[in-house]
Amino acid sequence: MTLSPSGSSVEEALSFLDAHPEIEAFDIVLTDANGIGRGKIIRRHELQGVYENGRHLPISILGLDIVGEDVHETGLIWDAGDGDLRAWPIPGSLVPLHGTNPPRGQVLLSMYDLDGNPMTSDPRHALKREVDAFAARGLYPAGAFELEFFLLSNERDSEGRVQPARAVLDGRASNKTEVYSVDHLHGMEPLFSDIYKAAAAQGIPAETVISEYAPGQYELTLNYRKDILRAADDLLMLKRLVRMQARRHGVTACFMAKPIERYAGSGMHLHVSMQDGEGRNVFTEERDGEWSPTLLHALGGLTATMAESMLVFAPHANSWRRFVSQSYAPVAPTWGVNNRSVALRVPAGSKSARRIEHRPSGVDANPYLVAATVLAGIAKGLDEKLDPGAETTGNGYERERANGAEMPADWLSAIKAAEASSFLKEALGEDMHRTFTAIKRAEYLRVARTVSELDYHLYLHEV
């Protein structure tokens, strides 16, 4: 038996097996640069060995594009001989999967070199590095993500377009924007009941569900975690279980940023605060009407680094369809108080709960990389005492730029900005930065060379 570098223990596995004699197999899941879970399904008797010795997995798993093909420019394929590294369980992530038949469990993994050092193209290690850097300052980031998504029919409409799912309760169809409609939620009650049961079984603090700003769009909120690493784990686990439960109810859970062109897209807002060693929120103002300098400097760092970080927040071609004026997606590095038209919102409420809501990310982004980049931006703001500029009041969509920062206009511009960014290289680590940008460049080339139906519609009989 080898000592686990992740901090996992064999006792956790043995206790779980004793408590769940019904479980026959386990999903072992490693998260790649795109936030996709890759791994294996193992039999019950294999679990103890994963905790005792880790599990050998090929290094190329972390060098795959969105469709699972090798990206050689990452340096993780034949440059390394596609050798095996060792994945170890993430403590606290061993959970049952609700509704599986035969019963299965799940455990998240993180990748390590054979000598036990973190494999630095693993996105979770990028976030862990930022968390550790704050701990060295005596600061501890806390946070929670919001999950927006669509529930879509498994069948397309007569024109081949995706369409909102019918209510699983009675089959009723609706193409209305039922924003905040409680009655509309009742039609999906059996599905959301199973989602909550699955979340409870996994220890995920899923809370409020609302009908969002488009037909078939919903939002689930997660309770705050003092450990932002666990908050990111929560989001990935919640996406997996929502997709699984939706399939069991005959509908598709969609985590594209912009699945329907005429309606708002889906975001993944990150609420983040910072505590000191005594558990005090350092973003809290000491006097009413005067913002904490720490909060302002944090905002300053996030506004200053947003443009070069947008590839992390909007990593796919489809991500960029979400950034349209007055669509509840931010279009400039602005900040404001109680204002949903800005990129960085300071929510109203109790001073003790003072936090920043980071709004640029789509639900298709990798939460580990998002949180790592946000923390690095905050650190830069604190170190350099950056000024966020004037608060945006009113309609933030009327401001195209802030502090002289020009936002990327499209996916390719974001890729180029990320490739050239020394800040992002430091935020993610050199290996993770190379891996991520190489994958994005390869995906861009795949999209760029594809002749779509739109091309034929626009040009076939016209040019």
Side-chain angles (χ1 to χ4, degrees), residues 31-35 62-64 74 76 119-127 129 312 366 368-369 372-373 424-440:
T31 302
D32 72 5
N34 276 316
L62 295 175
L64 303 177
T74 62
L76 302 180
M119 196 282 169
T120 47
S121 286
D122 181 326
R124 194 175 192 273
H125 289 316
L127 176 53
R129 197 168 65 98
V312 172
N366 184 325
Y368 294 134
L369 299 185
T373 304
L424 201 59
K425 185 177 291 186
E426 176 63 27
L428 303 182
E430 187 171 348
D431 291 338
M432 186 72 247
H433 177 268
R434 182 193 65 252
T435 299
F436 179 66
T437 55
I439 289 170
K440 294 297 108 182

Side-chain angles (χ1 to χ4, degrees), residues 157-226:
D157 67 14
S158 59
E159 297 183 13
R161 297 174 301 194
V162 298
Q163 57 184 333
R166 292 176 175 269
V168 300
L169 186 63
D170 56 14
R172 184 181 302 175
S174 174
N175 286 305
K176 301 176 184 177
T177 300
E178 307 269 9
V179 65
Y180 279 89
S181 169
V182 176
D183 290 344
H184 179 66
L185 294 175
H186 292 169
M188 292 294 180
E189 185 176 18
L191 170 54
F192 281 110
S193 177
D194 275 338
I195 287 172
Y196 281 125
K197 289 176 184 176
Q202 296 186 21
I204 300 172
E207 294 196 329
T208 306
V209 60
I210 65 170
S211 179
E212 258 290 355
Y213 198 63
Q217 188 184 35
Y218 302 87
E219 179 186 87
L220 274 168
T221 60
L222 287 159
N223 201 4
Y224 231 59
R225 291 282 197 184
K226 291 184 178 180

Side-chain angles (χ1 to χ4, degrees), residues 4 8 25 29-30 56 60 99 124 132 163 177 201 205 294 330 375 397 403 416 429 456:
S4 169
S8 61
V29 183
L30 177 71
H56 286 101
S60 57
R124 194 175 192 273
D132 290 345
Q163 57 184 333
T177 300
T294 305
L375 292 184
Y397 293 111
N403 291 344
K416 290 178 178 178
Y456 295 123

Side-chain angles (χ1 to χ4, degrees), residues 379-440:
K380 180 178 176 68
L382 298 183
D383 288 343
E384 300 179 18
K385 295 183 167 48
L386 296 179
D387 183 350
E391 173 192 345
T392 295
T393 57
N395 187 355
Y397 293 111
E398 294 177 349
R399 293 190 64 184
E400 295 184 356
R401 65 181 68 187
N403 291 344
E406 187 75 41
M407 295 285 277
D410 52 38
W411 191 28
L412 179 58
S413 299
I415 292 171
K416 290 178 178 178
E419 288 172 337
S421 173
S422 57
F423 162 76
L424 201 59
K425 185 177 291 186
E426 176 63 27
L428 303 182
E430 187 171 348
D431 291 338
M432 186 72 247
H433 177 268
R434 182 193 65 252
T435 299
F436 179 66
T437 55
I439 289 170
K440 294 297 108 182

Side-chain angles (χ1 to χ4, degrees), residues 222-238:
L222 287 159
N223 201 4
Y224 231 59
R225 291 282 197 184
K226 291 184 178 180
D227 178 359
I228 202 167
L229 266 167
R230 187 57 200 267
D233 294 339
D234 284 343
L235 194 283
L236 285 168
M237 293 168 71
L238 184 60

Side-chain angles (χ1 to χ4, degrees), residues 32-34 38 60-71 74 77 439 443:
D32 72 5
N34 276 316
R38 303 193 185 274
S60 57
I61 281 184
L62 295 175
L64 303 177
D65 68 7
I66 192 70
V67 297
E69 294 189 2
D70 293 340
V71 178
T74 62
I77 316 299
I439 289 170
E443 290 173 356

Side-chain angles (χ1 to χ4, degrees), residues 134-380:
F134 269 99
R137 300 168 180 255
L139 294 174
Y140 305 90
F145 288 91
E146 296 174 1
L147 181 69
E148 295 178 359
F149 59 97
F150 281 79
L151 293 175
L152 302 177
S153 170
N154 292 338
E155 294 78 37
R156 303 289 183 93
D157 67 14
S158 59
E159 297 183 13
R161 297 174 301 194
V162 298
Q163 57 184 333
R166 292 176 175 269
V168 300
L169 186 63
D170 56 14
R172 184 181 302 175
S174 174
N175 286 305
K176 301 176 184 177
T177 300
E178 307 269 9
V179 65
Y180 279 89
S181 169
V182 176
D183 290 344
H184 179 66
L185 294 175
H186 292 169
M188 292 294 180
E189 185 176 18
L191 170 54
F192 281 110
S193 177
D194 275 338
I195 287 172
Y196 281 125
K197 289 176 184 176
Q202 296 186 21
I204 300 172
E207 294 196 329
T208 306
V209 60
I210 65 170
S211 179
E212 258 290 355
Y213 198 63
Q217 188 184 35
Y218 302 87
E219 179 186 87
L220 274 168
T221 60
L222 287 159
N223 201 4
Y224 231 59
R225 291 282 197 184
K226 291 184 178 180
D227 178 359
I228 202 167
L229 266 167
R230 187 57 200 267
D233 294 339
D234 284 343
L235 194 283
L236 285 168
M237 293 168 71
L238 184 60
K239 285 179 72 173
R240 284 182 57 79
L241 74 84
V242 168
R243 181 178 282 120
M244 180 183 296
Q245 297 305 322
R247 292 179 70 180
R248 294 184 180 281
H249 285 272
V251 300
T252 296
C254 175
F255 300 108
M256 292 172 62
K258 184 79 167 179
I260 302 176
E261 63 187 49
R262 61 190 182 276
Y263 295 114
S266 294
M268 187 182 70
H269 303 162
L270 170 59
H271 293 252
V272 61
S273 64
M274 200 73 62
Q275 297 181 340
D276 64 16
E278 303 297 322
R280 294 184 293 255
N281 184 353
V282 299
F283 287 168
T284 300
E285 58 269 26
E286 293 184 4
R287 290 182 291 275
D288 290 340
E290 294 184 18
W291 295 115
S292 161
T294 305
L295 174 68
L296 293 175
H297 294 327
L299 290 166
L302 292 173
T303 58
T305 58
M306 189 174 296
E308 61 196 296
S309 303
M310 281 304 298
L311 185 63
V312 172
F313 310 144
H316 307 293
N318 179 260
S319 308
W320 291 84
R321 307 193 195 287
R322 176 172 162 260
F323 296 101
V324 179
S325 181
Q326 301 183 48
S327 66
Y328 289 92
V331 295
T334 52
W335 75 279
V337 180
N338 198 23
N339 186 337
R340 287 183 170 84
S341 68
V342 297
L344 304 167
R345 173 176 172 253
V346 180
S350 167
K351 290 194 299 183
S352 62
R354 191 67 67 222
R355 64 193 187 275
I356 297 169
E357 180 187 6
H358 185 272
R359 297 173 58 81
S361 298
V363 73
D364 55 345
N366 184 325
Y368 294 134
L369 299 185
V370 168
T373 304
V374 167
L375 292 184
I378 291 173
K380 180 178 176 68

